[in-house]
Every structure is written in C-alpha cells, then in structure tokens.
Amino acid sequence: MIRFEHVGLRYGIGPEVLSDINFTLAPGSFHFLTGPSGAGKTSLMNLMYLGRLPTRGLVTMFGQNINKMKREDMVAIRQRIGVVFQDFRLLNHMSTFDNVALPLRIVGKPEKEIQSNVSELLEWVGLGEHMNVLPNTMSGGQQQRIAIARAVVTRPRLLLADEPTGNLDDEIGERLLSLFEQLNRMGTTLVIATHNQMLMDKFPHPRLILSKGILTIEESKFNLRKKLEGLF
Amino acid sequence: MIRFEHVGLRYGIGPEVLSDINFTLAPGSFHFLTGPSGAGKTSLMNLMYLGRLPTRGLVTMFGQNINKMKREDMVAIRQRIGVVFQDFRLLNHMSTFDNVALPLRIVGKPEKEIQSNVSELLEWVGLGEHMNVLPNTMSGGQQQRIAIARAVVTRPRLLLADEPTGNLDDEIGERLLSLFEQLNRMGTTLVIATHNQMLMDKFPHPRLILSKGILTIEESKFNLRKKLEGLF
Amino acid sequence: MKVVPLQKKEKVLGKVYGKRRYDLPLNNNENTRFLVILIALMSFLATLGLSGFFTLGAMAERWTSGLKNNLTLEIPAETKEGRLLSAEEMTSLTQAAVSILSSYPAVESHTVMSREDIQKLVEPWLGEGTLSAAAFPLPGLISVKTKPGTERKSLEALTEKIHSAVAGARLDTHESWLRDVLRFTGALQFAATLLLATIALTTIIAVAGAVNARLSVHRADVELLHLMGATDRYISRQFQRHALLLGLAGSAAGVAAGSLGLLAIGWMTGEMDVNLLPQHRLSLPQIISTATTPLIIALLAVMAARQTVLQALAKMP
Amino acid sequence: MKVVPLQKKEKVLGKVYGKRRYDLPLNNNENTRFLVILIALMSFLATLGLSGFFTLGAMAERWTSGLKNNLTLEIPAETKEGRLLSAEEMTSLTQAAVSILSSYPAVESHTVMSREDIQKLVEPWLGEGTLSAAAFPLPGLISVKTKPGTERKSLEALTEKIHSAVAGARLDTHESWLRDVLRFTGALQFAATLLLATIALTTIIAVAGAVNARLSVHRADVELLHLMGATDRYISRQFQRHALLLGLAGSAAGVAAGSLGLLAIGWMTGEMDVNLLPQHRLSLPQIISTATTPLIIALLAVMAARQTVLQALAKMP
Ligand SMILES: Nc1ncnc2c1ncn2[C@@H]1O[C@H](COP(=O)(O)OP(=O)(O)OP(=O)(O)O)[C@@H](O)[C@H]1O
Ligand SMILES: Nc1ncnc2c1ncn2[C@@H]1O[C@H](COP(=O)(O)OP(=O)(O)OP(=O)(O)O)[C@@H](O)[C@H]1O
Ligand SMILES: [Mg+2]
Ligand SMILES: [Mg+2]
C-alpha cells in the first residue's frame, strides 16, 4: 500500500526534516504515528497524501512509483485518500453539509446518494443539528469532527488523520477512534498521528515513532501485554 | 477581578449558548475551564477578553462594569489581558519573533527591551532557533507555543488560554503549565480551558465546569485528596 | 449606474455554462461589485473612444475629400508689369492652359470657371452680387481634378509645363490647408487611440489583478480542492465562469451607458451645420466594434482567469 | 510603464509618515502592483483629459474671439436695380453709415476698409493681386467692433437704423459660423468632462474596492490587533499610509506618462498653422490642476481607506 525507501524531505534551503525514512504499510493495516512536536509527523503525512514530493528517495503508493507518475494519475490516487488535517482546513463559506459533501461532488457522485450518506455520517459524529451551519460558527471540537467526517465520507482506501482528537474530550475521541476501527475492518488502511499517549495505549496498533528525522516501528504495549499473557 | 452575574450569550438568532452564568474569580486565582465540546468554553472566554458583549447580564472586569464602559477604556483593559486562542491566530506574514513582539509594540515598549524579553521567552518555549521563521512553516505544536509566548510576553494581569496543549505532547504540555504556574505566582489570574483530564488531575486548581449553558465550580480532586490526607 | 444583480444572472448563465455552484466563495464577495463597476466604466470609455475615433476619421475624410484631388489653376488678369490683359489675350492663355491639362495623363477633368462660379466663390467674403454687374477683368480660374493617387512629382511637372506656356500662372494645391486639417484630426485620433489602448490595458490589468487577488485569498482552498483530487479543469472552470459573468455584466452595462452618452453628444451636436461633423455617424465598423466590445472584454477576462489559475495549479505537485 | 518599487519608497516615506513597519501584510501583496498600475493609468487619462478640456476651451475662445464682437457692414456697389454707384455716391453712403456707427453707444470702434484690406480678404480665394490694378467698383466694407457684452437686441436696433439710412446695407454678425464652432467645441468639451468624471469615479471605486478587499482579506488580523488592545487610530493609520503610498506612486507615474503623451501630441501638432490650435497650450489653471492631480488622488485614496477601516472597526465592541 505505502512503501518509503530512503526518503528525505527538506523545505526550501532548510535542514532535512525527514532523512532516510524506510517503512512499508500493508493494505488494511492500522498505525499510530507519534513523536515530539516538530519531529515531522505532519510532513510525513504530506508526502503520503501527495501534498509534496520528497526531495530524495522512493515513494510507492498503491503499487505505483510517485516520482514517475503523471499528473492525471496523481488525481486518481488522491481521490482514494482521505485526510484529516491538523488545522482542519474547512471551507468557511459553505455549510457543514456541503463541506462534508465536497469530496463526493468532486468525484461526481449523484446528489441523491450524497444527501443520504452525508446526513447519516453527520448524525453519527453528533453534528446532525448543525448541518446547515457555517464551520466558523462552530466550536473547535465540532470543526474537528466536520474535518473527520469529510475525510471518511468517501470510504477512502487510505485514511490519514493528523492529531484528530486534539480538541475533543476523551469520550468523543474514543467514539471517533471506534469509527476509524470500523473503517479499518472494512479494508481501509489507517495512519493516525497523535500525541495522546492514553489514546494510543487503549488500542492494540503498532506505532511509527518519528524522531530526529528517523522512523522506527514499535509494537503496541497493548499487543506486548497480550503476547506476554499468551506466553505465561 | 472577574465577576459574571446572570450572564447570557446567544449568537445572532440562534439558541442561548450561555444562559445564566454566575461566578467570581479573585485576583491571582488559577482555574481550569472544562466541559464537553461545544459547551461554550470558547464563547465564555470571548466574553472575558471583550471579544463580544453578553446579550444579557452583568460582566465586571477589573472592577469596572463592561456594559457601561467607553470604547477607549476597553482598549486599556484589553492590554492587560493575554489570550491564547484555540486556533492560535498567528500573523503568517511576520516572523515568530515579530508575532511575539507585537503586543509589546502595540503598547509602545522600547525596541531594546522588546529584543531581550522576546528572545528569552522564545528560548524558554523551545523556539530559539525558529525566531526568524514564518509561523505557517512551523509544526502545529510549534505554532501553539508561539501563541502561548505571545499571550504571556506582556506579563498580563489576566491570562486566558483556550486548549493550549491540544497539539503538544505531555512533556512540553507540563512545561508550559509550569510557566503558567510561575506567572500565577507573580500575580497573574489564570483561566485555562482544556479537555485534557490527565493534565487537570496533575494540578491542584479548581475547575469551572460548563454544561448546557450553566457553570458549576468544582474543587480539584487533587485538593480533595490533600484535604482527605489532612483529615486522617 | 445600477449594479447588475450577479447572483441572479449566475443562475441563468450557470445553467448554460455548467450547472454546479461554486466550491470557492467567488460570487458573494464584496470585490465582485467593484470589479463589475470598473469593467463597466472601462467599457463606457471604450464606447466613447471608439466612436470618437471613427467620427474623427470620417471628419478628416469629409473635410479633405473635397480638396484632396482638386487643384485650382489661376491665370492673372494683368501682366507682371501691371498691364491689364485684353479679353482675347485671356482667352488664348486659357486655351493654352486647357490644352496642356487635356493632354496631361494625371488630370482627370478640368473646368474653366465662369463669372458666376467666381462670384459664388467670393460671395461669403464680399457679399452677394458684388461682381455680377461690372464687366471688369477677373482672373481666369480653372478647377482641375486629378486622378486619385497622383504623386506630388507629377504635379510639379505639370506646374512647370504650365509655367512655361502661360507666364504668371499659379497652381494652387490647397496643400497647407490640407496639411493643417490632417494634422489636427490626426492628433485627435492619436489621442483617441491612446485612450483605447489605455482602456484595454486597464481592463486586462483589473481583471488579472482581481483573479490574482481571488486566487491569493483562496490559495489555501484551491490547494485543498487539489489535494482532494479535483482536476485542474474542475478548479479553473470555476474561476473562468466567474470571470465570464463579471466581464459580460460589466461591459454590457458600460457599453449601454456609453451608447446613451453618445446619444447625448449626438443630440447636442445634432442641429449643427453639416459642415463640421459628418452626417453618417454610425458606420458599420463602428457598430460592429461597439457591439463586440463586451464579448471581447469578457473573453479577455476569461483568458486572464484561466491563465492565472492554471499557472498557480502547475506549481502544486 | 515601470512599476514603482514600493518597498523602497516606503522606507523613505515611512520615515516621514511614521516610522513603524506594517503589522498587516499590506505592502508585499501582489494586488498592490495592480492597484498602482490602475491608478497610474487613470492619472494618465486624467492628464490627457484635463489638457483636452483646457485646449478645447482655448480653441473655442480663439476661434470665436476674432468674430465675437466683430461685425462687418457692407455697402453694395450697385443699387437693387443693378445700376453701378459712382464713387461719390459710395463715399456719401459710407459717410452716412460711419456717422451712425460713431454715435451708437454699443460700438467701440469702426474702420472703413481700404482697397488693400479687401484685397487681402479675398486673396485666399482668388489669388494674389487679383483686384489691385483694376479700378473697378468694390463694395464698401466697414469693420465694426462692438463693446463686450453687447446684446443681440442692441445689434438689431443698429441694423434697422443703418438700413433706413443706407439702402441695401448688410450687417454680417458671423452668427451661424459662431454657433457651429461653439456647438462643436462644446460637444467635445462635454466628452472631455465625461471622461474626467469617469476617471474620478474609477479611481475612487478602485481604491475603495482595494481597501475593502484588503480589509476583508485581513479582517481576522484586524480583529486580532483590536483584541490585543490596539487603538482604532493605530490600525487605520496602517491602511492610510498604505493608501497614501499607492496613490502617490501610481498617480505620479500616471501624470508623468500623461505629460509625455501630451508632449508627443504637441509635437505632432506643433508645426501646424496657428489657425487651428491656440498657441499658449499650457495655461496656468491647466498646470495647477495637472500638478495637483496626484495629490488629489492620493488624498482620495487615504480618505477612502480611513473611512472603510474605521467603519469596520466600529462594528467590533
Ligand atoms: N511549509 C514548511 N516550510 C518550512 N518548514 C516547515 C514547513 N512545514 C513544516 N516545517 C518544519 O518542519 C519541521 C517538522 O514539522 P511538522 O509539522 O512535520 O512537525 P510535526 O511532527 O507535525 O509537529 P507537531 O506535533 O507539532 O504538529 C518543523 O521544524 C517545521 O518548522
Ligand atoms: N461565531 C459563532 N456564531 C454562531 N454560533 C457560534 C459561534 N461560535 C460558537 N458558536 C456556537 O456556540 C456553541 C459553543 O461554542 P464554543 O466554541 O464556545 O464551544 P467550546 O466549549 O469552546 O467547544 P470546544 O471544546 O469544541 O472548543 C457551539 O454550539 C457553536 O456552534
Ligand atoms: Mg503536525
Ligand atoms: Mg472551544
């Protein structure tokens, strides 16, 4: 699904934010991405949703080499990826409903299907009453939920979520994580960047740990505990 | 310092977001403000930094009745308040340094004093190397730290911070909380809105709990524990 | 000037041009209004300028057409020494001149002017009937018409030929008067051209500026659409539609106002003697160019928009 | 046209107008460039328009000043029946006319034209020396100058008086020619006025539009400054400075370009006969109004900016 080989990224003439990143994510996998503030989590995600091209190294997405890809093919790949941005990036001039419907409209889904899908999803994230409201009149947590709804509405093959629970209380946070789990069970590959230790501890998913431009993979303690339990 | 009596707020023709809020914060106090997403925490803060006027009720700030205050006097009050916005609100066209220096420049502090104060503070929040960088080239957590630095640089009499640790890992989060404590010890009144249960549990400060437009005050469990310990 | 209600027009034109609403808040921004007014003002000026240009051309044409290929050959009524010529002498000199003119290839026609013709010529200056009664000697005047495109050189040769045959004859080519008129209208036409060029430049700059502004305001949103998998065409189409509507609305209003202005000017000068202004004020090229002004401006707007957006998008991977 | 390097100018003018840099990114935006060019184009047109207006005024003045208070009194050389008058008869009729003119209060001066004067008058039409030798009877012509502001009524009374004394006399007031010229230049001046009004409107709209756009782009930043305790004056000053610099830079460039354009037109018409264009092309009012154009435009810009910003700020508590 995703394969990074010796990938490096620098912004302009700055230092390398990412240097020699190597990992492979299997289809249907679920990973947390963590690391200190400024370590490059958002930058790594940027590479994964084709927001930027790496300054060096090889990125393979959906089995295709990004560096050799034509512009048109990138469009097709982007349509299969859902992204929750750290800063939401909602369109403030259109209603909550239209924001969530936008990715469906871009791919030309029929309006009828859009109506029912979007409404249902918004109910689920607790924004059923705010469908016709503009995002900038909503609270931080509500906006974050719109952003999440928009990312999952297309049932993307790959979902990238950057700090999706930073503005949510633990209850809603867990509820959304369970939505992610559900998507995962239906085949979506997930990468979730987060600082929230407690949240990670609750789920048995491996962690990509980013630090000083290098990525290491760590099995979840949850899993370790299970394994240990199995041992004895 | 702050006194709300029967305060209500509604946006436009919407429902009342806050209804009948009553509380008094003594000078030098330190409170957490919590409650579910969309409960009105940001809205309540908005009233406290004079971003909006309440639709009803009496707000007294620094001993003055807001409703009867002249425009010029509001300016003076605003200059004594520091705010960390939930969405940071940094000026993306000026450097980190200039962003933090802005409140000092607005009140006309001499440039020399600004240089040393701002540099020192930025070192402290771990952004010493990013002083001349534009905020939108920084990570989410870095931006949040700029926002915090900008709010405290004037040593305000009142500091309002809205979810100041949402994008920070626990270590930096605690470090910044200790900065807040330090300011508090020097006489600043603090109100910090947060969802982070763990964080609140670590500090012995009372909580303002907002729910369904009503505010209740709860002693910290930390304090309770201490009290209990004293009892037995 | 009434601002065209864009929102409503969009519904109509939206049906024609593509049925989807904007993903970007292009239509409900305050700036739109200013740009429409600006385009309207420019189209207004363009209409006036175009009309001025054509009118000046027609004026110059009219003023000079009577003179351009016309010469006057004058045979003085007295010798250099002041001796009056007899009627016979005049006749023979005239005959000599006429025979030269008849055989000269560049001359199309010539007419010996009668006493009455000369009388008419001096009437505005000396009053009616001044010369009619007295049988005093008048200079012989022959009005000569040359073929169109006759060169100065050929005229000089003719002058010499006549000089050698008829002493003291003078060939008046009306040159200084012609030169003055052409210079004058030429200068005015130059000013009109400057005006038109300035207008075109202003319009392009205003539209490109506005699209650029929109784009820089909505750069984050454009990037978001791009990241969501929208194609370049999908995104640029929205800006193009926006520009088309603005351009059409503004320039149609402007050309309409300009035409009204022209009517007003026409009315003011309408009762004037036809000596100064040409009668046929609406020539076909003028009508066509005035009618196509809105289309050209709208096209300019669309192209400016398309170019600007695609350039910005090409920078994103 | 070269775009004025704003950043640099700002450093200079910043020292004069207030030493602090902008808290809002007003100066380094792409739009700035477009607005400057737009203002320059408008100032360019304004310069041309102003000059055109003044030149037309001077033209009309010149064309008509020679005729306005001048009449020509003509005494025909023959009676109605066609009998030629003798020299003595002509002299006595002329004397009669002169005595009436001398005593008439509205007449400032009068001159009986000599044979040579009349010769000069018909020269352009009949050629040099045509009438000089022959002693044939010419009509008597008296050139009359009336006092400025003489009314038509008074002239009619004069005409009647002369008619009764001198049968067949004609008083030519050049009226139809005057009327034509005034109508023509009047129409052109009306067009120039329309142009100037359109330019002023365009400039105001462009600046107000730009400030509005800036403000809506930076509304969040303006609100932030406000919440940080910045006074209204502190915030609006930044927009005003911005508008001042844009206005000055743009209009100075435009007026400079316009003056060059005028020089070009002047050069094109410079060698023309003074009959058509007035000689003194730069009148004092023209110089003053051209020189103050940039100042007026800059002032307009500053006021538009100030008004817009303060209005927006007043909406925040
Ligand atoms: N557009 C950019 N231009 C230049 N530098 C950038 C840009 N975006 C990020 N950086 C730099 O890259 C580094 C990593 O940033 P990134 O946003 O990837 O970190 P992060 O791990 O997401 O941090 P956080 O947890 O605080 O969100 C930071 O030092 C930042 O300053
Ligand atoms: N500008 C606005 N216009 C209209 N409604 C608003 C506006 N801002 C907030 N609201 C509404 O007021 C309610 C409270 O919002 P507020 O931002 O105060 O919540 P909050 O407690 O800060 O939530 P969170 O923890 O998610 O940040 C929400 O229902 C929101 O939709
Ligand atoms: Mg990040
Ligand atoms: Mg909030």
Side-chain angles (χ1 to χ4, degrees), chain A residues 41-43 86 162, chain B residues 139-141:
Chain A
K41 298 181 293 300
T42 302
S43 303
Q86 191 169 11
D162 200 349
Chain B
S139 80

Side-chain angles (χ1 to χ4, degrees), chain A residues 49-53 71 74-75 78-79 81 85 88-91 93-94 98-99 102-103 105-106 150, chain C residues 20-25 28 220-221 223-232 234 313-317:
Chain A
Y49 60 72
L50 309 189
R52 276 180 184 276
L53 299 180
R71 213 177 151 75
M74 285 198 184
V75 169
R78 286 201 188 94
Q79 291 181 351
I81 304 177
F85 297 96
F88 315 157
R89 299 212 196 168
L90 303 174
L91 295 171
H93 63 279
M94 51 169 80
D98 285 335
N99 263 283
L102 189 56
R105 287 183 171 144
I106 284 178
R150 186 180 63 184
Chain C
R20 303 236 293 99
R21 77 282 150 263
Y22 292 112
D23 293 338
L24 301 169
N28 53 3
D221 295 348
E223 196 185 326
L224 178 72
L225 287 178
H226 177 70
L227 290 179
M228 277 177 167
T231 59
D232 294 356
Y234 179 96
L313 283 173
K315 280 182 203 139
M316 304 175 190

Side-chain angles (χ1 to χ4, degrees), chain C residues 30-31 37 41 44 74 78 122 125-127 129-130 133 136 139 180 183-184 187 202 205 212-213 217 268-269 273, chain D residues 30-31 37 41 59 74 78 125-127 129-130 133 136 139 180 183-184 187 198 202 205 212-213 217 268-269 273:
Chain C
E30 286 231 320
N31 291 34
I37 298 180
L41 287 169
F44 173 74
E74 180 193 331
E78 52 187 10
V122 295
W125 306 98
L126 295 179
T130 318
F136 60 83
D180 275 12
R183 262 224 198 99
F184 178 56
T202 307
I205 283 173
N212 241 305
V217 170
M268 286 181 69
T269 60
D273 206 307
Chain D
E30 287 230 321
N31 291 34
I37 297 179
L41 286 170
M59 261 166 80
E74 181 193 329
E78 51 188 12
W125 305 97
L126 296 180
T130 319
F136 63 81
D180 275 13
R183 263 225 197 98
F184 178 58
T198 311
T202 306
I205 283 173
N212 241 306
V217 171
M268 285 179 69
T269 60
D273 207 308

Side-chain angles (χ1 to χ4, degrees), chain A residues 55-216:
Chain A
T55 36
R56 63 189 177 88
L58 193 67
V59 174
T60 312
M61 302 282 302
F62 296 91
Q64 288 174 274
N65 181 345
I66 288 297
N67 306 56
K68 292 181 178 164
M69 201 178 286
K70 275 184 290 176
R71 213 177 151 75
E72 301 87 72
D73 299 333
M74 285 198 184
V75 169
I77 290 209
R78 286 201 188 94
Q79 291 181 351
R80 283 187 270 171
I81 304 177
V83 187
V84 183
F85 297 96
Q86 191 169 11
D87 49 358
F88 315 157
R89 299 212 196 168
L90 303 174
L91 295 171
N92 279 320
H93 63 279
M94 51 169 80
S95 69
T96 299
F97 182 93
D98 285 335
N99 263 283
V100 176
L102 189 56
L104 297 175
R105 287 183 171 144
I106 284 178
V107 298
K109 277 262 151 52
E111 201 60 29
K112 214 166 149 189
E113 196 180 324
I114 292 178
Q115 289 292 335
S116 64
N117 279 6
V118 172
S119 307
E120 193 188 329
L121 184 58
L122 282 174
E123 290 292 347
W124 207 90
V125 299
L127 295 174
E129 289 172 16
H130 298 273
M131 263 186 227
N132 297 314
V133 167
L134 297 182
N136 59 359
T137 69
M138 308 267 266
S139 80
Q142 289 165 335
Q143 292 186 27
Q144 195 157 43
R145 281 177 274 162
I146 303 173
I148 292 171
R150 186 180 63 184
V152 304
V153 74
T154 53
R155 295 171 195 262
R157 302 269 306 278
L158 170 65
L159 180 68
L160 306 169
D162 200 349
E163 204 75 58
T165 58
N167 288 278
L168 299 176
D169 51 71
D170 298 348
E171 191 195 317
I172 297 188
E174 274 175 47
R175 188 187 165 101
L176 285 168
L177 253 293
S178 80
L179 171 66
F180 290 163
E181 295 247 285
Q182 198 176 317
L183 274 172
N184 183 233
R185 251 174 275 126
M186 287 162 61
T188 298
T189 312
L190 273 115
V191 181
I192 297 180
T194 184
H195 290 112
N196 195 330
Q197 197 64 38
M198 234 166 60
L199 196 79
M200 286 188 280
D201 286 346
K202 277 184 193 147
F203 293 89
H205 303 303
R207 300 168 190 186
L208 306 169
I209 299 176
L210 202 52
S211 177
K212 302 205 171 84
I214 303 294
L215 190 86
T216 50

